């Protein structure tokens, strides 16, 4: 019995030694991997042949720096230092091996030669997770040279590039950037999840065509805050498939306001749900808080929309729902929209309207707006014509508190 016990004890001892040896190796490897994941490395575009001055195209140098940074298993930083760097359309694609930041400290200047517009985007980030774009720098779209090419109403034409696009990006932050004179929209967000945009300044003249500030489509949990947006189109456009969009502390003007839509014009669109706009101001815009759907539209739902603590200054159409949207007549105004709008709240909206009808709720006859709530609306008419008025069609809901102009919602 003692011999057997000794043999069994030796086997247990041998197994424990082997376990310690294997675990020690695993711990060393795990430590090395963790150490490398925590290491930061800067990839300066100047080290890859970028030339400052705003004359030479730097797209290849930027791509080389990006590709090396994307392969790094730690925290990679692509650095664009101070200076002016000309950049043709470029795509920064993933997935990458770790968190990656693109730090713009200088100015990126777009080309004005239409022959170089080989994409609908100028600077495009796609298929990425844990991305940061920041640095305090500037995107100069040089749109004034090509805006006449942006009028496609009467003839076929090529879409001009959007300055900064994000496609299928998750867990990202975009902050401390300026974009001006974009050729098309300043920023586009498509198929993205959990992105934060803050401390941005987006600007273009009020008469510049299609220069939306931020366009969002088919995306979830996008937050925009503490930014100034003045453009020739929507300051923020919320399109098909957008859900949980949070907008706060935004100043909008000039521009077409903060818009949901247009919606229902295509058969492959998705519902819009959960849009929250609060603590913001609009000045001199052609619309304020707008929801627009095509008169002839495919079935769709827009729900859980809340506007709160918004101040208007000389805004045309401060509050407007237009379910007969028709930007390019002729349109058949006899048909009614199939987009169902419901659960929309306007709370503490005040200021001045430059149009007599400060509140317009033009809802669908076949799909009336439901569960509308108007609470403390104080909009005065700035200009001749007496006092501000409201106009409602097929809008069902309730009104509370001060109602100036008088509410026209049906209970």
């Amino acid at each position: 019995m003692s011999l057997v016990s000794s043999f069994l004890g030796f086997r247990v001892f041998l197994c424990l030694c082997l376990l310690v040896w294997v675990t020690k190796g695993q711990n060393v490897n795990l430590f090395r991997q963790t150490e490398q994941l925590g290491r930061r490395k800067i990839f300066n575009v100047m080290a890859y042949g970028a030339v400052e001055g705003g004359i030479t195209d730097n797209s290849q140098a930027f791509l080389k720096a990006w590709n090396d940074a994307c392969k790094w298993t730690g925290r990679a930083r692509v650095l664009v230092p101070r200076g002016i760097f000309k950049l043709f359309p470029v795509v920064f694609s993933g997935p990458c091996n770790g968190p990656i930041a693109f730090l713009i400290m200088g100015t990126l200047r777009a080309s004005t030669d239409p022959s170089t517009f080989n994409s609908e985007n100028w600077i495009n980030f796609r298929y990425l997770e844990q991305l940061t774009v920041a640095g305090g720098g500037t995107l100069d779209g040089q749109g004034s040279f090509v805006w006449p090419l942006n009028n496609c109403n009467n003839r076929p034409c090529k879409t001009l590039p959007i300055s900064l696009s994000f496609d299928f990006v998750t867990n990202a932050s975009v902050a401390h950037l300026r974009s001006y004179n974009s050729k098309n929209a300043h920023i586009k967000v498509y198929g993205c999840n959990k992105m934060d945009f803050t401390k941005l300044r987006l600007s273009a003249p009020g008469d510049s065509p299609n220069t939306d500030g931020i366009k969002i489509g088919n995306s979830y949990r996008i937050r925009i805050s503490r930014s100034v947006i003045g453009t020739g189109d929507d300051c923020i456009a919320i399109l098909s498939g957008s859900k949980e969009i949070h907008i706060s502390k935004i100043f909008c003007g000039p521009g077409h306001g903060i818009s949901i839509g247009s919606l229902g014009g295509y058969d492959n669109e998705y519902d819009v749900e959960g849009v929250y706009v609060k603590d913001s101001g609009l000045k001199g815009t052609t619309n304020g808080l707008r929801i627009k759907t095509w008169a002839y539209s495919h079935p769709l739902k827009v729900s859980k929309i809340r506007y709160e603590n918004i101040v208007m200054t000389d805004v045309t159409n401060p509050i407007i729902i237009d379910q007969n949207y028709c930007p390019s007549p002729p349109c058949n105004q006899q048909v009614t929209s199939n987009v169902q709008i419901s659960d929309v709240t306007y709370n503490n909206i005040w200021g001045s309207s430059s149009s007599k009808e400060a509140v317009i709720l033009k809802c669908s006859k076949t799909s009336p707006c439901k569960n509308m709530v108007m609470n403390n609306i104080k909009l005065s008419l700035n200009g001749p014509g007496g006092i501000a008025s409201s106009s409602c069609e097929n809008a069902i809901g309730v009104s509370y508190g001060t109602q100036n102009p008088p509410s026209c919602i049906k209970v």
Side-chain angles (χ1 to χ4, degrees):
M1 291 291 293
S2 59
L3 183 62
V4 172
S5 298
S6 299
F7 178 72
L8 290 175
F10 175 75
R11 289 187 60 185
V12 170
F13 174 76
L14 181 60
C15 289
L16 287 173
C17 290
L18 288 173
L19 180 62
V20 169
W21 179 75
V22 171
T23 305
K24 182 179 180 181
Q26 289 178 342
N27 285 341
V28 170
N29 290 335
L30 182 61
F31 175 76
R32 288 174 178 171
Q33 291 171 5
T34 304
E35 182 184 36
Q36 193 172 26
L37 282 172
R39 290 170 59 194
R40 297 182 180 181
K41 185 172 182 179
I42 296 175
F43 299 81
N44 192 323
V45 296
M46 299 296 283
Y48 291 84
V51 179
E52 189 271 339
I55 298 175
T56 304
D57 169 39
N58 289 287
S59 55
Q60 292 307 308
F62 277 47
L63 276 174
K64 290 176 183 177
W66 172 267
N67 289 335
D68 280 357
C70 193
K71 294 174 185 176
W72 181 251
T73 54
R75 297 179 177 273
R77 302 287 187 269
V78 177
L79 175 64
V80 181
R82 287 181 170 83
I84 300 175
F85 296 87
K86 189 173 184 179
L87 194 64
F88 285 5
V90 63
V91 177
F92 299 115
S93 187
C96 295
N97 288 332
I100 189 166
F102 197 93
L103 305 179
I104 305 169
M105 299 181 66
T107 296
L108 303 185
R109 179 173 290 171
S111 170
T112 60
D113 181 0
S115 67
T116 65
F117 305 162
N118 56 9
S119 170
E120 293 183 354
N121 307 301
W122 173 26
I123 302 169
N124 187 193
F125 294 92
R126 56 173 60 178
Y127 305 114
L128 292 162
E129 187 169 356
Q130 292 186 292
L131 169 70
T132 299
V133 181
T138 299
L139 307 181
D140 178 6
Q142 299 209 92
S144 59
F145 291 93
V146 294
W147 282 329
L149 303 178
N150 222 349
N151 182 6
C152 304
N153 292 332
N154 300 320
R155 58 183 175 81
C157 64
K158 192 174 182 179
T159 302
L160 296 179
I162 295 169
S163 286
L164 184 59
S165 294
F166 299 91
D167 298 317
F168 311 104
V169 174
T170 301
N171 294 323
S173 173
V174 181
H176 296 284
L177 290 178
R178 182 188 177 195
S179 170
Y180 67 93
N181 290 348
S182 57
K183 294 180 175 67
N184 200 311
H186 290 267
I187 296 175
K188 181 201 74 177
V189 181
Y190 181 83
C192 297
N193 294 323
K194 298 180 181 178
M195 289 194 69
D196 292 341
F197 294 84
T198 188
K199 297 182 180 178
L200 306 177
R201 190 175 188 92
L202 314 178
S203 61
D207 60 354
S208 56
N210 301 321
T211 53
D212 299 81
I214 302 177
K215 299 175 69 170
I216 306 169
N218 288 324
S219 296
Y220 173 78
R221 219 291 275 136
I222 307 299
R223 297 192 298 209
I224 306 169
S225 65
R226 301 179 182 275
S227 297
V228 177
I229 306 174
T231 71
D233 212 306
D234 295 328
C235 289
I236 300 175
I238 300 160
L239 306 175
S240 161
S242 300
K243 296 187 177 183
E244 296 301 318
I245 310 301
H246 298 253
I247 300 166
S248 65
K249 296 183 173 66
I250 297 297
F251 178 82
C252 169
H256 296 179
I258 298 174
S259 296
I260 297 175
S262 56
L263 297 172
Y266 303 93
D267 60 2
N268 59 344
E269 295 185 33
Y270 299 94
D271 296 343
V272 173
E273 180 181 339
V275 177
Y276 310 96
V277 183
K278 68 177 184 178
D279 304 331
S280 296
L282 300 95
K283 181 177 181 180
T285 54
T286 56
N287 293 284
L289 310 172
R290 177 168 62 159
I291 302 174
K292 51 181 177 175
T293 74
W294 290 91
Y296 176 78
S297 61
H298 299 275
L300 208 63
K301 293 180 181 179
V302 178
S303 62
K304 297 181 182 177
I305 314 299
R306 185 176 182 87
Y307 304 103
E308 186 170 22
N309 301 332
I310 310 295
V311 59
M312 310 276 188
T313 305
D314 296 335
V315 171
T316 307
N317 306 324
I319 295 175
I320 179 169
I321 293 178
D322 182 6
Q323 294 210 256
N324 290 305
Y325 179 67
C326 176
S328 301
C331 297
N332 184 358
Q333 296 293 329
Q334 302 305 313
V335 298
T336 58
S337 177
N338 287 316
V339 178
Q340 174 68 70
I341 298 174
S342 64
D343 301 308
V344 182
T345 297
Y346 301 90
N347 183 39
N348 292 334
I349 315 296
W350 72 94
S352 59
S353 171
S354 60
S355 57
K356 183 170 178 59
E357 288 188 331
V359 177
I360 301 173
L361 304 178
K362 190 186 295 183
C363 299
S364 169
K365 183 178 180 180
T366 54
S367 301
C369 299
K370 301 188 300 183
N371 299 330
M372 309 291 291
V373 177
M374 305 285 283
N375 184 36
N376 289 335
I377 309 300
K378 303 176 184 179
L379 295 169
S380 61
L381 176 61
N382 184 16
I387 61 174
S389 63
S390 59
S391 173
C392 294
E393 296 177 15
N394 311 306
I396 303 170
V398 294
S399 302
Y400 301 102
T402 301
Q403 294 294 320
N404 181 24
S407 175
C408 56
I409 289 180
K410 294 181 180 180
V411 178

